[in-house]
Amino acid sequence: MAAVTADAPESVFEQYRPLLLGLGYRLLGSMWDAEDVVQEAYLRWTRTDRDQVREPRAFLVTVVSRLALDQLRSARATREAYVGPWLPEPADTGELGPLDTAELRDTLSYATLYLMEQLTPPERAAFVLREAFEMPYDDIAAIVGGTAANCRQLHHRATTRLAAARGDRFRPTGEDHARLLTRFLDAARGGDLDALTGMLSEDVTAWNDGGGRARAALNPIAGRDRVIAFVLGLARRFPIETARLTESNGQPALWLTVDGKDQLVLLDIEDGVIHGVFAVLNPDKLTRLAARERDRGKKHDGAGQPDRDQQPDRDQQRDHQRESS
C-alpha cells in the first residue's frame, strides 16, 4: 500500500481529530488535556515526513497514545493532591468520535472513566487501546513498552480489576436511565425518603467534585442511609433553582443550578437501582457543557420555553481548569 500524501496534512489530520480526541479523553479523563495532546500530535504530524507514513490513522493513534500516557503519569501526583474527590471532566459525546461498538460506548461511560482512575497508566492504556480500538498487542507494546505478552497481562489485570468493581449486572437503556434520573430528582426535591430508599442500592456511594472551587463534600459518602441523609439535607438547605435533563458521556445526566451555581449529576445504574451518584461542581470542569447548556437555554427561551431552562452565564478560564485537572 502506498503512503498517503495527496491530501494536505491539515485535511488528513482533521479526518481523525474526533477519534483522537476520544482516545485522549478515555486515557486522561480530561478534555483540556486531551485537546493538548491532540494539538501536539498535529504539530508532530506536520513535521513528519509523511511519505514514510503508510497508515495515517495508526501513526496518529500511536502518537496520541504515547503523549497521553506521558501526561497521565505526570497527572497522577496532581490528582492525588486534589481538594476532595477527583472526578473526570464530563464531556459532550458528539465531540469524541464514533460510538458504533459497545466497547467504545462503555469506555466513555462516566462510571467506567472513574473506575479507570484505579488502574496504573500502562494498564489503562492497554485496556483502552485493546477494548475500544481493538489494537493488536504488538502495537500496544510499542506504545507502553515491554512485550506483547506483557501487554496481554496488563489488559487482563485491568479487565479483572474493572470487572470486580463493576460486576456483571444489567445496564439500563437510555430511556430507563433517564426515567430513574428524573425520579431521583423528584424524590430529592420532594424529600421523599421512601422513594430514595427504593431506588438506591445498599452500597451506593456519592462523590462530589468541587476541587476547592465550589462547596462540596471532601470525602465520598458511602451507604444508602448516609447518601439519603446527605441528599435530603442538601435539598432542604440549598433548593434546586433550575433542572434540565441533558446528556454527557453517552448517558442521560442532570444539569442543575443550586444556590446560583451550576452542577452536573450523573448516575451509575445497575439492575435498576443506583449504585453511584457523581456530582461535578467544579466550574472549571463544566466550561464546555455550560456553554452548550447556555445555547440550549437560549433556543428554548426563543421557542417560548419557561424560565426554568435558563442557565446562569459563566465564562471559565483555561488556566483554572488546568490547575484543577
Side-chain angles (χ1 to χ4, degrees):
M1 177 179 175
V4 180
T5 60
D7 295 333
E10 294 85 357
S11 61
V12 173
F13 190 87
E14 289 304 318
Q15 294 177 38
Y16 301 111
R17 181 180 289 275
L19 178 143
L20 299 174
L21 277 173
L23 170 60
Y25 176 71
R26 287 173 173 86
L27 290 174
L28 295 166
S30 164
M31 280 297 291
W32 289 115
D33 290 340
E35 287 184 338
D36 280 351
V37 299
V38 170
Q39 180 60 25
E40 177 61 26
Y42 170 73
L43 295 176
R44 296 191 182 191
W45 171 248
T46 60
R47 297 193 296 260
T48 295
D49 181 0
R50 291 178 297 282
D51 290 339
Q52 303 302 313
V53 178
R54 299 180 64 84
E55 295 287 349
R57 181 186 185 276
F59 174 86
L60 292 170
V61 165
T62 298
V63 171
V64 168
S65 297
R66 287 174 175 167
L67 290 170
L69 190 55
D70 289 342
Q71 175 69 20
L72 186 59
R73 288 185 174 117
S74 64
R76 288 177 69 87
T78 303
R79 293 176 184 180
E80 289 175 359
Y82 192 78
V83 179
W86 187 95
L87 295 178
E89 177 188 351
D92 187 336
T93 313
E95 300 179 10
L96 300 174
L99 295 173
D100 47 5
T101 68
E103 291 77 13
L104 282 168
R105 293 188 294 271
D106 181 62
T107 52
L108 189 62
S109 76
Y110 202 79
T112 300
L113 280 170
Y114 175 74
L115 289 173
M116 283 197 290
E117 288 295 313
Q118 303 174 13
L119 305 178
T120 67
E123 286 173 346
R124 184 167 184 164
F127 178 78
V128 169
L129 291 170
R130 183 66 178 176
E131 290 291 311
F133 296 90
E134 300 179 334
M135 183 176 284
Y137 286 114
D138 286 334
D139 294 344
I140 297 175
I143 294 171
V144 305
T147 66
N150 289 338
C151 289
R152 189 184 299 272
Q153 286 300 313
L154 287 173
H155 175 260
H156 176 72
R157 287 202 301 268
T159 302
T160 300
R161 293 177 68 180
L162 292 177
R166 293 184 298 183
D168 185 20
R169 293 176 285 213
F170 174 75
R171 301 280 174 172
T173 64
E175 290 183 357
D176 289 340
H177 195 128
R179 190 175 298 113
L180 187 54
L181 193 60
T182 302
R183 287 176 51 211
F184 176 76
L185 173 64
D186 291 342
R189 274 179 151 172
D192 193 333
L193 176 62
D194 290 339
L196 286 172
T197 300
M199 67 181 72
L200 297 176
S201 68
E202 290 186 9
D203 61 351
V204 64
T205 302
W207 294 268
N208 286 247
D209 181 340
R213 299 265 291 133
R215 181 183 298 155
L218 294 178
N219 296 292
I221 298 113
R224 182 163 55 198
D225 291 343
R226 295 186 65 197
V227 170
I228 289 174
F230 178 73
V231 169
L232 294 183
L234 282 180
R236 285 192 298 267
R237 187 175 179 185
F238 305 106
I240 298 171
E241 298 160 16
T242 65
R244 178 164 63 241
L245 196 64
T246 187
E247 179 275 340
S248 176
N249 295 76
Q251 66 188 74
L254 283 173
W255 184 261
L256 307 177
T257 306
V258 180
D259 195 28
K261 307 295 184 181
D262 294 335
Q263 61 178 270
L264 188 80
V265 176
L266 303 101
L267 302 180
D268 179 24
I269 301 172
E270 300 169 356
D271 293 335
V273 294
I274 299 168
H275 287 260
V277 181
F278 303 98
V280 181
L281 298 90
N282 185 341
D284 299 325
K285 293 186 178 183
L286 298 176
T287 304
R288 289 170 178 77
L289 293 187
R292 183 189 71 180
E293 295 303 317
R294 287 197 298 270
D295 290 341
R296 287 185 61 197
K298 291 176 183 177
K299 291 177 182 179
H300 286 305
D301 187 50
Q305 294 296 321
D307 291 341
R308 67 188 295 272
D309 286 328
Q310 293 299 303
Q311 301 297 330
D313 189 13
R314 181 181 290 114
D315 295 323
Q316 305 299 336
Q317 298 298 320
R318 182 182 182 84
D319 57 344
H320 286 305
Q321 162 61 25
R322 293 309 310 277
E323 291 171 3
S324 299
S325 65

